[in-house]
Each structure stands twice: as structure tokens, then as C-alpha cells.
Amino acid sequence: SLTLVASTPCFAQRDDWSAGMPADTLAQFTAQLAGDWRGTLKRFIALQAMGDAEAKAVARALTGELFSHGEPAQAALALGLAILRDTDLREQVAGVTCPVLLQYGVAPRIVARENLRLWHGAGSVMYAVQWLCAAAVLWRITAEPREPS
């Protein structure tokens, strides 16, 4: 089985994919990261913690943990954003035949929030179909006549 946590097959919006981050927002984030990577990462963490009852403490803990590992390579940060901008795995995801569990937070700040109902519905339908398939296989296995041993 496959579990996807707060993920999307295509992070950036495309003409036929509104569920991603707008290209101009991603470009702005890339420019800010190049100009002030430390401040940009702190704002990103604050955005992730927003809405938590202990947002300031959570952001402080996450920031401390992130920066406790030393400075990130700026080339790696830029490459990571380029991967998010350029990668589109929608065709590959359509071919996944194993059970898939999609997990999203209550109020994610990165994925397009207007599509959460769609993703929740898709995940629920996939979950139900997987159980129906399992039940059909079990029924078929138990219903087949067996030869005496």
C-alpha cells in the first residue's frame, strides 16, 4: 500500500491543474529564498504553525530544530523549489494499482484549500473501493468449491 502525507502529484498549478500553488507565488517564494533564506524559512515555519493554539511555541521549536543542523546549502533549497515547480506525476499516479491512503492536515497552508473537499472525497471513495475489492476477493475465495484432500 501507499500512504501520501500532505502531498500532491503536482505541487504547482498548471493550465489543467488548479490544485497546486500558483506559479507567481512559487516564483516569489524562490526570489525571497534567494535574498533572505533564513527569514523566508522562518516565515514558512510560522505559516505552518498558524492556527495552532501554541503557534508561537511550535514555530520556535521547529525553527530551533531546523537551524540546529547548520545552514542548508542554498543550492539545495533552490533545487528543491525547482523540483516542486517542475515535477508533475499525475500520469504516474493514475497507474498506481495498490491501496492508497491520502492524509491531509485540518487546515493546510500549502495545498489549495478549495480542493480539500475534492481530495477528501476521492480518498474516501478509494478507501471504500479497496474494501469492496477485498470483500469480493474474500467472498470468491470462500465460495469456490474445494477438492477433497
Side-chain angles (χ1 to χ4, degrees), residues 41-103:
L41 289 178
K42 284 181 180 180
R43 286 189 297 278
F44 178 78
I45 289 171
L47 182 64
Q48 296 307 302
M50 190 186 312
D52 190 290
E54 301 291 327
K56 287 184 181 182
V58 169
R60 200 170 24 257
L62 289 173
T63 301
E65 180 63 27
L66 174 67
F67 293 129
S68 73
H69 300 283
E71 292 189 6
Q74 292 191 21
L77 295 174
L79 180 59
L81 286 173
I83 290 170
L84 289 175
R85 180 194 64 222
D86 299 338
T87 302
D88 184 352
L89 300 173
R90 292 177 290 161
E91 286 185 25
Q92 290 84 351
V93 168
V96 172
T97 58
C98 67
V100 178
L101 174 62
L102 306 171
Q103 296 181 328

Side-chain angles (χ1 to χ4, degrees), residues 13 18-21 110-116 119:
Q13 280 186 359
S18 65
M21 179 180 280
I110 300 300
V111 296
R113 296 176 73 148
E114 64 272 7
N115 294 305
L116 289 179
W119 287 113

Side-chain angles (χ1 to χ4, degrees), residues 123-148:
S124 297
V125 167
M126 290 173 66
Y127 183 76
V129 168
Q130 291 165 11
W131 275 105
L132 289 173
C133 289
V137 168
L138 183 60
W139 176 77
R140 180 147 188 180
I141 289 172
T142 58
E144 289 180 3
R146 298 187 185 252
E147 294 183 23

